[in-house]
Amino acid sequence: MTALTLSTAAAAGLRADAIVVGVAKGAKGPIVAPGAEPVDQAYDGRLAAILETLGAVGAEGEVTKLPAPTGFRTPVVLAVGLGAAPESDGTYSAEALRHAAGCAARALAGAKKAGIALPVAGPEAVGAIAEGTLLGAYTFDGYKGKGQNGGKKGDRGGAKGGKNAKGPLAEATLLGVNPREAAAKAALGRATTVCEELNRARDLINTPPNDLAPEAFAALATTAAEEHGVKVKVLDEKALAKGGYHGILGVGSGSSAPPRLVRLTYRHPKAKRSLAFVGKGITYDSGGISLKPPNAMETMKCDMSGAAAVLATVVAGARLGLEVNLTGWLALAENMPSGTALRPGDVLRMYNGATVEVLNTDAEGRLVMADAIARASEDRPDALVDVATLTGAMVLALGHRTFGVMGNDDAFRTAVHETAEAVGEASWPLPMPEHLRKGLESATADMSNVGERMGGALAAGLFLREFVGDDIPWAHVDIAGPAFNEGSPFGYTPKGGTGAAVRTLVHLAERTAAGEVL
């Protein structure tokens, strides 16, 4: 991952491949943002005019390169758009800074070092620029060419592959920040930790399913957790059968790779509150007997994004030393068609004893999640959040960049939504209409795993609600849209796995530790 440092060094004297400055969209043309004053002065105060001549307007995501002024030790100035200039106090939003830094980091792929002279009005800005840089610089190309390790099975995680591939920006220095300032150092340290774990989630999501069956995922989770003092317990297929986890077992019954349920436990001696996170971990989803169309299977390695997010969150919480108890549950299975696969019409007795008639084997995520949610509820956490790429209906409702939030407690649902907005993750609170519950009724079992087609994302939330323990505030986060970016990279979001919801869950844990939630 890109190495980040803080410095008060002059931009002109920095030995780097490029100096990054911000440019905003003003009413009469581009405006040079704070932090770039020394660079602007070196252009005799004409930087904005030069950029306008080159066609720059300061729009969000815009990147313009130009030769550095005479006397600079760097050959290039890279101007990155911040969007509309702030009208009141002149302070740019954290998300604008995060987005701009991400665009700059992507544009500088292959560079050894960059100086970043974006507006740094305080620790929050330092953290946002650091996050944007670290997330925007992410690459995943270890499977291309021979890779760093000769193309061995399992190479991944940003290894430079193929002779023409560009590695990520190696080093970046945030200019205008005293490296001895405690608040700035803390903001940089937090950002680095969160981004390292978020990029771990991205690596997992991007890993081909032949290298990430449930057992392999569980092993990687164990290694990562134990490295940072998080306790791990893995239930294999025998333990799952003994414990009555027939939702997880049923989904995994068609695969030669048996399912797993992983429990991650982080405890802080001063913690007064506890959170449980449950993540959907379908390492590959063919749809099972209710087979998906071929083109709908191509990205189904991403159906474990929820579990990846939960792993990243719990490990990040441990690394940050948050004063909150965290438990993570990774419900891992591979959904495949075979002679032993779950069939439409089968009835499963779930972990909590309820029976479910399976009408569609491609509605499998809610079955593994139901078992894990029921088990997580037994620990009586102060609140429970599940994260899943659960429904295509959510993508139809909110698009590819926004996740939906439902829940059994309006205040907690609102807190999750507001937390997401605070860290720059687009979310939207959704209702759980009681009339849709009737569509989940079954003549054979206590309920069926699918309901009405219209409002399918809401019906899925209603299904999961049945397995939440009494009086436990619960939020359901459906990340089906933003979990995997099939389009071009934008801002600090790469093509492929995005690590959606990690920053939201980490900040929710921070807010819970601070007594702001629950």
Side-chain angles (χ1 to χ4, degrees):
M1 195 168 76
T2 303
L4 279 184
T5 55
L6 306 175
S7 178
T8 55
L14 186 71
R15 291 186 181 275
D17 296 293
I19 296 291
V20 177
V21 298
V23 55
K25 189 175 183 179
K28 297 181 180 180
I31 299 171
V32 176
E37 293 89 350
V39 179
D40 188 29
Q41 291 170 8
Y43 284 110
D44 297 325
R46 298 184 62 251
L47 179 55
I50 294 171
L51 288 170
E52 187 172 21
T53 299
L54 294 173
V57 298
E60 184 180 89
E62 178 184 81
V63 173
T64 308
K65 291 183 180 180
L66 61 160
T70 302
F72 272 56
R73 292 186 174 185
T74 177
V76 173
V77 168
L78 188 149
V80 61
L82 288 162
E87 297 179 358
S88 53
D89 62 358
T91 301
Y92 290 85
S93 71
E95 183 62 8
L97 296 174
R98 200 179 286 118
H99 195 279
C103 290
R106 286 193 295 105
L108 292 171
K112 292 182 179 179
K113 184 175 182 178
I116 299 180
L118 292 172
V120 281
E124 183 183 11
V126 171
I129 294 169
E131 284 183 2
T133 303
L134 295 173
L135 297 179
Y138 173 84
T139 60
F140 185 88
D141 54 13
Y143 283 85
K144 293 184 177 181
K146 291 185 177 180
Q148 286 183 336
N149 300 314
K152 296 178 182 178
K153 181 181 179 181
D155 292 352
R156 65 181 191 280
K160 186 176 180 181
K163 64 180 181 180
N164 296 320
K166 291 183 178 180
L169 171 65
E171 181 182 353
T173 298
L174 276 59
L175 300 176
V177 186
N178 187 342
R180 295 183 179 180
E181 183 185 335
K185 287 173 63 178
L188 179 62
R190 178 197 178 277
T192 300
T193 295
V194 172
C195 291
E196 284 178 350
E197 294 309 321
L198 191 153
N199 283 340
R200 185 199 301 277
R202 288 174 169 179
D203 281 353
L204 287 166
I205 297 163
N206 289 326
T207 299
N210 56 313
D211 278 348
L212 198 72
E215 184 177 6
F217 193 141
L220 289 169
T222 298
T223 299
E226 290 182 344
E227 179 184 353
H228 298 290
V230 175
K231 294 183 179 179
V232 184
K233 183 177 182 179
V234 179
L235 300 184
D236 62 14
E237 64 272 31
K238 293 181 180 178
L240 291 170
K242 183 177 180 180
Y245 297 90
H246 297 296
I248 297 174
L249 285 168
V251 172
S253 62
S255 173
S256 60
R260 296 287 186 270
L261 177 62
V262 181
R263 182 189 187 191
L264 310 168
T265 307
Y266 162 70
R267 294 287 181 266
H268 192 284
K270 295 182 179 180
K272 296 180 180 179
R273 297 170 181 83
S274 61
L275 288 174
F277 298 122
V278 178
K280 175 185 172 183
I282 302 299
T283 58
Y284 185 75
D285 183 17
S286 69
I289 296 296
S290 305
L291 199 65
K292 294 178 182 288
N295 61 354
M297 293 190 214
E298 294 171 0
T299 60
M300 281 300 100
K301 64 181 181 181
C302 79
D303 212 18
M304 34 59 68
S305 295
V310 168
L311 170 63
T313 298
V314 175
V315 174
R319 292 180 62 183
L320 293 171
L322 301 183
E323 292 186 13
V324 59
N325 292 332
L326 303 176
T327 305
W329 297 88
L330 317 181
L332 308 176
E334 186 176 62
N335 188 23
M336 298 291 285
S338 75
T340 59
L342 193 64
R343 295 156 294 212
D346 283 352
V347 173
L348 302 175
R349 186 170 294 279
M350 311 298 284
Y351 178 81
N352 71 344
T355 55
V356 174
E357 182 181 15
V358 178
L359 299 181
N360 187 331
T361 66
D362 196 23
E364 85 298 330
R366 64 200 69 184
L367 298 175
V368 301
M369 294 291 282
D371 273 355
I373 288 171
R375 174 59 188 87
S377 295
E378 288 185 346
D379 293 340
R380 303 302 302 172
D382 291 315
L384 190 155
V385 181
D386 78 74
V387 192
T389 48
L390 203 64
T391 63
M394 187 60 72
V395 187
L396 292 174
L398 299 180
H400 290 287
R401 298 192 184 185
T402 304
F403 58 71
V405 185
M406 289 170 257
N408 63 0
D409 181 282
D410 287 348
F412 187 58
R413 181 195 63 185
T414 298
V416 173
H417 165 61
E418 290 176 346
T419 301
E421 296 293 307
V423 300
E425 292 202 270
S427 74
W428 197 252
L430 293 169
M432 300 182 72
E434 290 299 329
H435 70 270
L436 290 177
R437 175 62 181 84
K438 184 174 179 62
L440 294 171
E441 292 180 359
S442 165
T444 306
D446 295 327
M447 60 192 304
S448 61
N449 74 325
V450 290
E452 296 179 27
R453 181 170 178 268
M454 300 303 174
L458 310 182
L462 287 164
F463 179 91
L464 294 181
R465 189 184 66 178
E466 297 291 318
F467 298 88
V468 179
D470 293 340
D471 302 320
I472 298 175
W474 158 74
H476 163 53
V477 178
D478 190 335
I479 59 172
F484 197 84
N485 177 28
E486 295 185 59
S488 299
F490 59 93
Y492 51 88
T493 301
K495 187 178 181 67
T498 66
V502 172
R503 290 183 297 123
T504 295
L505 298 185
V506 171
H507 192 43
L508 182 68
E510 290 173 324
R511 294 186 66 200
T512 302
E516 298 174 10
V517 178
L518 302 175

